[in-house]
Amino acid sequence: MTYCLGIAVDAGLVFASDSRTNAGVDHVNSYPKMFHFTVPNQAFFVLLTSGNLATTQAVVERIQRDLEDPDAKNSLAQASEMSDAARYVGHVSYKVRRYYQEGESGESHAFDSSFILGGQIAGKPHQLYMIYPQGNYIRNSPYAPFLQIGETKYGKPILDRIIEPRTSLEAAARCALVSIDSTTRSNLTVAPPIDLLIYARDALQPAQIQRYKLNSPYYASLRKHWGEGLKQLFDELPLFDWEKTSV
């Protein structure tokens, strides 16, 4: 399984992903699930992937090949809006999925993959899109400033409580790491290394790209402080009425 998330705030975008893939308890590997593409002076895109590894790798390879081919009929370089880029990625994903499904007698969803695409085209607003296996997509909004794919439930509560449009990029990045840490503690199919990318609005290039292992000093410190802080807050919760009386 996997867990990836993208956060959109006024100041820019934050992306985070784990890197664990597994095909059973005795077959665990690590693969990157975050990819970024630059169209010099024109656009910057980040793609997060979840689902069938063969499908996601084929999609990423096709996107890169189209981007490098000046004669390609469609590519990220030709997108004039972020929605055009999302539609293109959805089309590539759908075609790859259909290709793998041909001649297969197994369940059709075995080759499903989902994506989060974010970035900015020069002169246009920065945006996030979630792209479904069928190729359709939704985008972020002020009421839904983050998007998740994979094991989403464990890391969502902190995002719901903290993320809003005016949140700073650094605070959003810390929140993303806490969200992933909460997921790794509850689900063994999500694990470090953790990839983190911060994009500042209108930059058309990443502000920060970081990779954290479990014992990386900053990530270890963040996990320690978050765990200790939760325990302290729990101890400070209001007492029941009968506890007050007994005290």
Side-chain angles (χ1 to χ4, degrees):
M1 199 57 180
T2 187
Y3 178 43
C4 304
L5 72 150
I7 300 174
V9 294
D10 293 340
L13 303 168
V14 172
F15 303 87
S17 64
D18 83 313
S19 57
R20 171 165 288 187
T21 64
N22 67 294
V25 295
D26 60 347
H27 189 188
V28 176
N29 290 298
S30 294
Y31 287 92
K33 301 169 188 176
M34 180 188 297
F35 306 87
H36 58 91
F37 309 91
T38 301
V39 183
N41 303 315
Q42 181 179 329
F44 179 76
F45 303 96
V46 177
L47 188 69
L48 306 178
T49 67
S50 172
N52 182 275
L53 187 60
T55 301
T56 59
Q57 288 188 345
V59 168
V60 171
E61 182 180 341
R62 174 62 184 273
I63 291 172
Q64 187 64 54
R65 190 167 67 244
D66 286 348
L67 197 56
E68 295 171 353
D69 182 2
D71 298 322
K73 295 181 180 180
N74 199 4
S75 73
L76 290 178
Q78 297 169 1
S80 58
E81 302 281 350
M82 282 298 299
S83 58
D84 297 334
R87 190 175 301 109
Y88 160 72
V89 173
H91 178 69
V92 171
S93 173
Y94 179 76
K95 287 182 65 177
V96 170
R97 175 171 167 262
R98 288 293 301 271
Y99 171 80
Y100 284 134
Q101 285 177 351
E102 290 180 3
E104 292 288 336
S105 58
E107 297 183 14
S108 60
H109 62 74
F111 299 102
D112 284 358
S113 293
S114 300
F115 302 87
I116 291 175
L117 176 71
Q120 186 174 20
I121 295 170
K124 306 295 174 118
H126 57 288
Q127 293 177 337
L128 288 174
Y129 285 83
M130 182 189 297
I131 303 166
Y132 296 101
Q134 296 77 16
N136 53 336
Y137 54 84
I138 61 171
R139 56 154 292 192
N140 71 287
S141 76
Y143 307 104
F146 60 86
L147 297 173
Q148 304 166 280
I149 53 176
E151 280 291 349
T152 61
K153 54 186 177 292
Y154 304 106
K156 189 172 185 292
I158 181 65
L159 300 171
D160 286 332
R161 287 178 168 86
I162 299 298
I163 298 301
E164 56 185 30
R166 63 182 181 178
T167 304
S168 71
L169 282 173
E170 290 75 17
R174 284 189 289 272
C175 190
L177 291 178
V178 169
S179 178
I180 288 188
D181 177 60
S182 299
T183 305
T184 62
R185 287 178 177 272
S186 300
N187 192 302
L188 293 177
T189 67
V190 177
I194 307 300
D195 289 316
L196 177 73
L197 187 149
I198 300 175
Y199 171 79
R201 183 186 62 215
D202 299 328
L204 301 185
Q205 61 182 355
Q208 292 287 338
I209 299 178
Q210 301 290 333
R211 167 164 281 203
Y212 298 106
K213 297 181 180 179
L214 189 62
N215 60 351
S216 295
Y218 177 77
Y219 186 58
S221 176
L222 180 139
R223 296 176 72 243
K224 179 176 181 290
H225 280 77
W226 178 249
E228 292 176 349
L230 282 179
K231 292 177 182 178
Q232 180 178 343
L233 285 173
F234 182 82
D235 291 339
E236 296 173 357
L237 289 176
L239 300 176
F240 291 110
D241 289 341
W242 65 82
E243 289 181 290
K244 297 176 185 178
T245 302
S246 63
V247 171

PDB file of all heavy atoms in Angstrom, residues 44-63:
ATOM      1  N   PHE A  44       5.906  23.873 -13.764  1.00  0.00           N
ATOM      2  CA  PHE A  44       6.497  22.897 -12.856  1.00  0.00           C
ATOM      3  C   PHE A  44       5.382  21.990 -12.350  1.00  0.00           C
ATOM      4  O   PHE A  44       4.319  22.466 -11.948  1.00  0.00           O
ATOM      5  CB  PHE A  44       7.192  23.579 -11.680  1.00  0.00           C
ATOM      6  CG  PHE A  44       7.802  22.628 -10.698  1.00  0.00           C
ATOM      7  CD1 PHE A  44       8.984  21.965 -10.988  1.00  0.00           C
ATOM      8  CD2 PHE A  44       7.187  22.372  -9.474  1.00  0.00           C
ATOM      9  CE1 PHE A  44       9.550  21.068 -10.091  1.00  0.00           C
ATOM     10  CE2 PHE A  44       7.739  21.487  -8.572  1.00  0.00           C
ATOM     11  CZ  PHE A  44       8.925  20.831  -8.886  1.00  0.00           C
ATOM     12  N   PHE A  45       5.632  20.660 -12.384  1.00  0.00           N
ATOM     13  CA  PHE A  45       4.625  19.680 -11.994  1.00  0.00           C
ATOM     14  C   PHE A  45       5.221  18.674 -11.015  1.00  0.00           C
ATOM     15  O   PHE A  45       6.392  18.315 -11.126  1.00  0.00           O
ATOM     16  CB  PHE A  45       4.108  18.902 -13.214  1.00  0.00           C
ATOM     17  CG  PHE A  45       3.538  19.761 -14.306  1.00  0.00           C
ATOM     18  CD1 PHE A  45       4.323  20.145 -15.388  1.00  0.00           C
ATOM     19  CD2 PHE A  45       2.213  20.179 -14.269  1.00  0.00           C
ATOM     20  CE1 PHE A  45       3.805  20.928 -16.398  1.00  0.00           C
ATOM     21  CE2 PHE A  45       1.685  20.957 -15.274  1.00  0.00           C
ATOM     22  CZ  PHE A  45       2.478  21.341 -16.348  1.00  0.00           C
ATOM     23  N   VAL A  46       4.391  18.211 -10.086  1.00  0.00           N
ATOM     24  CA  VAL A  46       4.751  17.122  -9.181  1.00  0.00           C
ATOM     25  C   VAL A  46       3.671  16.056  -9.311  1.00  0.00           C
ATOM     26  O   VAL A  46       2.474  16.370  -9.319  1.00  0.00           O
ATOM     27  CB  VAL A  46       4.850  17.594  -7.724  1.00  0.00           C
ATOM     28  CG1 VAL A  46       5.150  16.410  -6.799  1.00  0.00           C
ATOM     29  CG2 VAL A  46       5.924  18.664  -7.579  1.00  0.00           C
ATOM     30  N   LEU A  47       4.091  14.788  -9.406  1.00  0.00           N
ATOM     31  CA  LEU A  47       3.158  13.671  -9.527  1.00  0.00           C
ATOM     32  C   LEU A  47       3.402  12.691  -8.388  1.00  0.00           C
ATOM     33  O   LEU A  47       4.523  12.224  -8.189  1.00  0.00           O
ATOM     34  CB  LEU A  47       3.341  12.955 -10.871  1.00  0.00           C
ATOM     35  CG  LEU A  47       2.305  11.879 -11.209  1.00  0.00           C
ATOM     36  CD1 LEU A  47       0.939  12.519 -11.478  1.00  0.00           C
ATOM     37  CD2 LEU A  47       2.752  11.050 -12.399  1.00  0.00           C
ATOM     38  N   LEU A  48       2.354  12.380  -7.633  1.00  0.00           N
ATOM     39  CA  LEU A  48       2.380  11.355  -6.598  1.00  0.00           C
ATOM     40  C   LEU A  48       1.592  10.155  -7.084  1.00  0.00           C
ATOM     41  O   LEU A  48       0.534  10.313  -7.704  1.00  0.00           O
ATOM     42  CB  LEU A  48       1.769  11.879  -5.298  1.00  0.00           C
ATOM     43  CG  LEU A  48       2.354  13.174  -4.734  1.00  0.00           C
ATOM     44  CD1 LEU A  48       1.609  13.589  -3.472  1.00  0.00           C
ATOM     45  CD2 LEU A  48       3.839  13.031  -4.451  1.00  0.00           C
ATOM     46  N   THR A  49       2.082   8.948  -6.790  1.00  0.00           N
ATOM     47  CA  THR A  49       1.488   7.745  -7.361  1.00  0.00           C
ATOM     48  C   THR A  49       1.087   6.748  -6.286  1.00  0.00           C
ATOM     49  O   THR A  49       1.754   6.607  -5.264  1.00  0.00           O
ATOM     50  CB  THR A  49       2.476   7.057  -8.323  1.00  0.00           C
ATOM     51  OG1 THR A  49       3.590   6.541  -7.574  1.00  0.00           O
ATOM     52  CG2 THR A  49       2.993   8.036  -9.368  1.00  0.00           C
ATOM     53  N   SER A  50      -0.009   6.048  -6.541  1.00  0.00           N
ATOM     54  CA  SER A  50      -0.485   4.999  -5.640  1.00  0.00           C
ATOM     55  C   SER A  50      -1.170   3.931  -6.458  1.00  0.00           C
ATOM     56  O   SER A  50      -1.896   4.234  -7.411  1.00  0.00           O
ATOM     57  CB  SER A  50      -1.473   5.586  -4.624  1.00  0.00           C
ATOM     58  OG  SER A  50      -2.082   4.566  -3.856  1.00  0.00           O
ATOM     59  N   GLY A  51      -0.949   2.666  -6.086  1.00  0.00           N
ATOM     60  CA  GLY A  51      -1.613   1.571  -6.788  1.00  0.00           C
ATOM     61  C   GLY A  51      -0.626   0.605  -7.404  1.00  0.00           C
ATOM     62  O   GLY A  51       0.507   0.455  -6.932  1.00  0.00           O
ATOM     63  N   ASN A  52      -1.048  -0.034  -8.480  1.00  0.00           N
ATOM     64  CA  ASN A  52      -0.231  -1.037  -9.142  1.00  0.00           C
ATOM     65  C   ASN A  52       1.095  -0.437  -9.599  1.00  0.00           C
ATOM     66  O   ASN A  52       1.118   0.549 -10.346  1.00  0.00           O
ATOM     67  CB  ASN A  52      -1.004  -1.618 -10.333  1.00  0.00           C
ATOM     68  CG  ASN A  52      -0.229  -2.703 -11.050  1.00  0.00           C
ATOM     69  OD1 ASN A  52       0.584  -2.430 -11.910  1.00  0.00           O
ATOM     70  ND2 ASN A  52      -0.488  -3.951 -10.678  1.00  0.00           N
ATOM     71  N   LEU A  53       2.197  -1.032  -9.159  1.00  0.00           N
ATOM     72  CA  LEU A  53       3.514  -0.467  -9.433  1.00  0.00           C
ATOM     73  C   LEU A  53       3.855  -0.473 -10.916  1.00  0.00           C
ATOM     74  O   LEU A  53       4.444   0.475 -11.439  1.00  0.00           O
ATOM     75  CB  LEU A  53       4.578  -1.221  -8.639  1.00  0.00           C
ATOM     76  CG  LEU A  53       5.994  -0.657  -8.677  1.00  0.00           C
ATOM     77  CD1 LEU A  53       6.022   0.768  -8.130  1.00  0.00           C
ATOM     78  CD2 LEU A  53       6.946  -1.550  -7.890  1.00  0.00           C
ATOM     79  N   ALA A  54       3.475  -1.540 -11.623  1.00  0.00           N
ATOM     80  CA  ALA A  54       3.748  -1.599 -13.058  1.00  0.00           C
ATOM     81  C   ALA A  54       3.027  -0.477 -13.792  1.00  0.00           C
ATOM     82  O   ALA A  54       3.588   0.159 -14.695  1.00  0.00           O
ATOM     83  CB  ALA A  54       3.327  -2.957 -13.620  1.00  0.00           C
ATOM     84  N   THR A  55       1.792  -0.217 -13.384  1.00  0.00           N
ATOM     85  CA  THR A  55       1.016   0.842 -14.026  1.00  0.00           C
ATOM     86  C   THR A  55       1.631   2.208 -13.748  1.00  0.00           C
ATOM     87  O   THR A  55       1.838   3.010 -14.670  1.00  0.00           O
ATOM     88  CB  THR A  55      -0.440   0.826 -13.534  1.00  0.00           C
ATOM     89  OG1 THR A  55      -1.023  -0.436 -13.817  1.00  0.00           O
ATOM     90  CG2 THR A  55      -1.248   1.920 -14.208  1.00  0.00           C
ATOM     91  N   THR A  56       1.957   2.475 -12.486  1.00  0.00           N
ATOM     92  CA  THR A  56       2.479   3.793 -12.157  1.00  0.00           C
ATOM     93  C   THR A  56       3.835   4.042 -12.817  1.00  0.00           C
ATOM     94  O   THR A  56       4.097   5.146 -13.311  1.00  0.00           O
ATOM     95  CB  THR A  56       2.604   3.973 -10.634  1.00  0.00           C
ATOM     96  OG1 THR A  56       3.477   2.979 -10.081  1.00  0.00           O
ATOM     97  CG2 THR A  56       1.241   3.853  -9.972  1.00  0.00           C
ATOM     98  N   GLN A  57       4.690   3.017 -12.864  1.00  0.00           N
ATOM     99  CA  GLN A  57       5.990   3.207 -13.504  1.00  0.00           C
ATOM    100  C   GLN A  57       5.848   3.451 -15.003  1.00  0.00           C
ATOM    101  O   GLN A  57       6.563   4.274 -15.583  1.00  0.00           O
ATOM    102  CB  GLN A  57       6.880   1.996 -13.241  1.00  0.00           C
ATOM    103  CG  GLN A  57       7.382   1.912 -11.811  1.00  0.00           C
ATOM    104  CD  GLN A  57       8.421   0.827 -11.618  1.00  0.00           C
ATOM    105  OE1 GLN A  57       8.593  -0.050 -12.450  1.00  0.00           O
ATOM    106  NE2 GLN A  57       9.115   0.875 -10.493  1.00  0.00           N
ATOM    107  N   ALA A  58       4.908   2.751 -15.627  1.00  0.00           N
ATOM    108  CA  ALA A  58       4.679   2.948 -17.063  1.00  0.00           C
ATOM    109  C   ALA A  58       4.125   4.340 -17.340  1.00  0.00           C
ATOM    110  O   ALA A  58       4.488   4.976 -18.340  1.00  0.00           O
ATOM    111  CB  ALA A  58       3.725   1.882 -17.591  1.00  0.00           C
ATOM    112  N   VAL A  59       3.266   4.826 -16.466  1.00  0.00           N
ATOM    113  CA  VAL A  59       2.699   6.168 -16.640  1.00  0.00           C
ATOM    114  C   VAL A  59       3.791   7.221 -16.515  1.00  0.00           C
ATOM    115  O   VAL A  59       3.899   8.134 -17.346  1.00  0.00           O
ATOM    116  CB  VAL A  59       1.571   6.418 -15.611  1.00  0.00           C
ATOM    117  CG1 VAL A  59       1.175   7.897 -15.597  1.00  0.00           C
ATOM    118  CG2 VAL A  59       0.363   5.559 -15.930  1.00  0.00           C
ATOM    119  N   VAL A  60       4.622   7.108 -15.490  1.00  0.00           N
ATOM    120  CA  VAL A  60       5.703   8.071 -15.297  1.00  0.00           C
ATOM    121  C   VAL A  60       6.665   8.048 -16.473  1.00  0.00           C
ATOM    122  O   VAL A  60       7.104   9.093 -16.969  1.00  0.00           O
ATOM    123  CB  VAL A  60       6.444   7.788 -13.979  1.00  0.00           C
ATOM    124  CG1 VAL A  60       7.706   8.641 -13.871  1.00  0.00           C
ATOM    125  CG2 VAL A  60       5.532   8.045 -12.787  1.00  0.00           C
ATOM    126  N   GLU A  61       6.993   6.858 -16.942  1.00  0.00           N
ATOM    127  CA  GLU A  61       7.909   6.735 -18.092  1.00  0.00           C
ATOM    128  C   GLU A  61       7.315   7.385 -19.337  1.00  0.00           C
ATOM    129  O   GLU A  61       8.017   8.087 -20.081  1.00  0.00           O
ATOM    130  CB  GLU A  61       8.202   5.257 -18.361  1.00  0.00           C
ATOM    131  CG  GLU A  61       9.176   5.036 -19.501  1.00  0.00           C
ATOM    132  CD  GLU A  61       9.444   3.555 -19.754  1.00  0.00           C
ATOM    133  OE1 GLU A  61       9.169   2.747 -18.847  1.00  0.00           O
ATOM    134  OE2 GLU A  61       9.923   3.231 -20.858  1.00  0.00           O
ATOM    135  N   ARG A  62       6.025   7.180 -19.580  1.00  0.00           N
ATOM    136  CA  ARG A  62       5.373   7.771 -20.746  1.00  0.00           C
ATOM    137  C   ARG A  62       5.335   9.299 -20.645  1.00  0.00           C
ATOM    138  O   ARG A  62       5.586  10.005 -21.637  1.00  0.00           O
ATOM    139  CB  ARG A  62       3.960   7.211 -20.882  1.00  0.00           C
ATOM    140  CG  ARG A  62       3.138   7.857 -21.990  1.00  0.00           C
ATOM    141  CD  ARG A  62       3.757   7.630 -23.365  1.00  0.00           C
ATOM    142  NE  ARG A  62       3.006   8.335 -24.388  1.00  0.00           N
ATOM    143  CZ  ARG A  62       1.940   7.792 -25.011  1.00  0.00           C
ATOM    144  NH1 ARG A  62       1.531   6.559 -24.698  1.00  0.00           N
ATOM    145  NH2 ARG A  62       1.301   8.473 -25.933  1.00  0.00           N
ATOM    146  N   ILE A  63       5.040   9.824 -19.456  1.00  0.00           N
ATOM    147  CA  ILE A  63       5.012  11.272 -19.272  1.00  0.00           C
ATOM    148  C   ILE A  63       6.389  11.864 -19.560  1.00  0.00           C
ATOM    149  O   ILE A  63       6.517  12.883 -20.258  1.00  0.00           O
ATOM    150  CB  ILE A  63       4.565  11.621 -17.838  1.00  0.00           C
ATOM    151  CG1 ILE A  63       3.082  11.259 -17.648  1.00  0.00           C
ATOM    152  CG2 ILE A  63       4.788  13.102 -17.552  1.00  0.00           C
ATOM    153  CD1 ILE A  63       2.616  11.386 -16.214  1.00  0.00           C
TER     154      ILE A  63
END
